[in-house]
């Protein structure tokens, strides 16, 4: 496996982690009603979307490498 | 002396020797961390009670962001070489090194906070496996930094002598670095969140 392919796999797993973290933060907010958790969850979801966009762009731009 | 298959593909394996070597090494690393993760699962399942909220989630999350960013800079360091952009390669490799150092600084604060409260590995089963897993992972970060420092410093000379071989070496460093980052992607939820 090339570094390019491994990087794409890593980004995909990172996206799963951001979704998991967002779910965890949502659960904590549900229990403790602390807005910090809500902010963390939304931030994590945003990071996940950012990673998806980055991954698609990386795949397109490095196809020839 | 000319070492064969440093750049060209070896017909019987379909890979350059360096790439086969790094994947064999990473396979052994999977077994090492796999054994420790298995130990964690067995200890946790066997425990009557398991502590929650002992670790700083914000520090762990910041370190996750740092390592994901470092994987991006590492792959960019390699891609820049493939595009013959030496200046960008240097910039990205140094950025990766700095991010790795930042990770360790965060880890230092986390460790010292626990140790100041007397919460060393001897304190509980959870902290014993926490220090073992994150300590071993931290040593791998240090190992990666040593390799990067070599390629930022004296190892950079190879670029002029054999650009393809140098690019391959950076790719192997990147594969190792991604593996180290991947271990953290599993460590963070397992130790900090669950």
């Amino acid at each position: 496996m090339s570094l390019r392919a491994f990087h794409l796999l890593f980004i995909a797993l990172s996206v799963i982690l951001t979704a998991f973290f967002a779910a965890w933060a949502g659960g904590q907010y549900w229990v403790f009603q602390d807005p910090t958790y809500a902010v963390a969850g939304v931030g994590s979801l945003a990071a996940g979307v950012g990673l998806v966009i980055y991954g698609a762009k990386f795949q397109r731009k490095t196809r020839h490498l | 002396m000319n070492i064969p298959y440093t750049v060209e593909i070896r017909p019987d394996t379909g890979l350059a020797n360096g790439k086969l070597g790094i994947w064999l090494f990473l396979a052994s690393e999977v077994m090492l961390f796999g054994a420790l993760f298995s130990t964690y699962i067995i200890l946790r399942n066997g425990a009557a009670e398991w502590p929650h909220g002992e670790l700083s989630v914000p520090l762990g999350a910041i370190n996750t962001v740092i390592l994901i960013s470092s994987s991006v800079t590492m792959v960019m360091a390699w891609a820049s070489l493939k595009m013959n952009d030496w200046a960008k390669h240097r910039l990205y490799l140094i950025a990766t090194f700095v991010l790795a150092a930042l990770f360790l600084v965060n880890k230092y604060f986390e460790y010292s906070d626990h140790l100041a409260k007397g919460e060393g590995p001897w304190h509980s089963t959870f902290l014993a496996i926490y220090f073992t897993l994150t300590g071993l992972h931290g040593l791998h970060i240090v190992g990666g930094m040593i390799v990067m420092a070599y390629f930022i410093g004296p190892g950079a000379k190879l670029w002029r002598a054999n650009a393809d071989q140098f690019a391959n070496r950076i790719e192997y460093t990147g594969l190792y670095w991604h593996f180290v980052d991947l271990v953290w992607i599993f460590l963070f939820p397992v130790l900090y969140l669950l």
Side-chain angles (χ1 to χ4, degrees):
Chain A
M1 187 189 275
S2 67
L3 177 58
R4 179 181 175 274
F6 198 20
H7 184 66
L8 286 169
L9 173 70
F10 177 77
I11 293 299
L13 289 169
S14 299
V15 170
I16 293 170
L17 176 66
T18 57
F20 180 80
F21 186 77
W24 175 86
Q28 297 296 108
Y29 177 70
W30 189 262
V31 174
F32 299 109
Q33 298 292 311
D34 183 347
T36 316
Y37 288 116
V39 172
V42 171
S44 187
L45 279 180
V49 171
L51 281 171
V52 169
I53 293 167
Y54 161 77
K57 201 173 168 184
F58 175 81
Q59 190 186 22
R60 207 170 45 246
K61 288 207 166 185
T62 60
R63 196 163 284 168
H64 63 285
L65 292 183
Chain B
M1 192 180 78
N2 185 33
I3 303 171
Y5 306 116
T6 51
V7 175
E8 67 275 27
I9 303 295
R10 193 179 157 124
D12 53 355
T13 61
L15 296 167
N17 279 352
K19 190 172 272 186
L20 181 66
I22 193 73
W23 276 112
L24 283 174
F25 172 66
L26 293 181
S28 74
E29 290 282 85
V30 167
M31 288 183 252
L32 174 65
F33 279 101
L36 285 169
F37 272 108
S38 305
T39 306
Y40 170 87
I41 292 165
I42 290 166
L43 286 173
R44 184 164 180 170
N45 281 340
E49 282 181 19
W50 197 256
H52 289 280
E54 288 213 0
L55 303 177
S56 166
V57 174
L59 268 183
I62 289 168
N63 264 350
T64 307
V65 172
I66 287 173
L67 283 193
I68 292 174
S69 305
S70 80
S71 82
V72 172
T73 55
M74 185 72 233
V75 83
M76 288 302 173
W78 168 73
S80 303
L81 278 183
K82 291 297 222 182
M83 295 171 194
N84 278 315
D85 194 335
W86 177 250
K88 269 193 181 171
H89 157 74
R90 298 276 294 175
L91 190 71
Y92 281 125
L93 196 59
I94 291 168
T96 311
F97 184 88
V98 170
L99 287 167
L102 270 177
F103 176 90
L104 289 181
V105 168
N106 257 348
K107 210 79 217 142
Y108 165 77
F109 283 124
E110 213 178 339
Y111 275 11
S112 47
D113 183 48
H114 281 291
L115 294 173
K117 289 189 274 187
E119 295 173 351
W122 57 85
H123 187 259
S124 67
T125 308
F126 169 71
L127 285 171
I129 196 76
Y130 160 75
F131 275 102
T132 306
L133 275 166
T134 58
L136 185 67
H137 178 262
L139 283 177
H140 280 74
I141 295 278
V142 173
M145 286 176 76
I146 292 169
V147 175
M148 279 183 246
Y150 173 72
F151 287 125
I152 291 166
K157 280 185 289 189
L158 183 64
W159 172 249
R160 289 183 183 205
N162 191 337
D164 287 336
Q165 192 179 358
F166 184 77
N168 277 1
R169 286 186 175 183
I170 293 297
E171 184 179 10
Y172 308 148
T173 308
L175 287 170
Y176 169 80
W177 193 250
H178 274 68
F179 172 78
V180 174
D181 293 351
L182 197 59
V183 170
W184 182 259
I185 291 292
F186 285 98
L187 278 180
F188 174 61
V190 165
L191 293 174
Y192 289 74
L193 305 181
L194 293 175

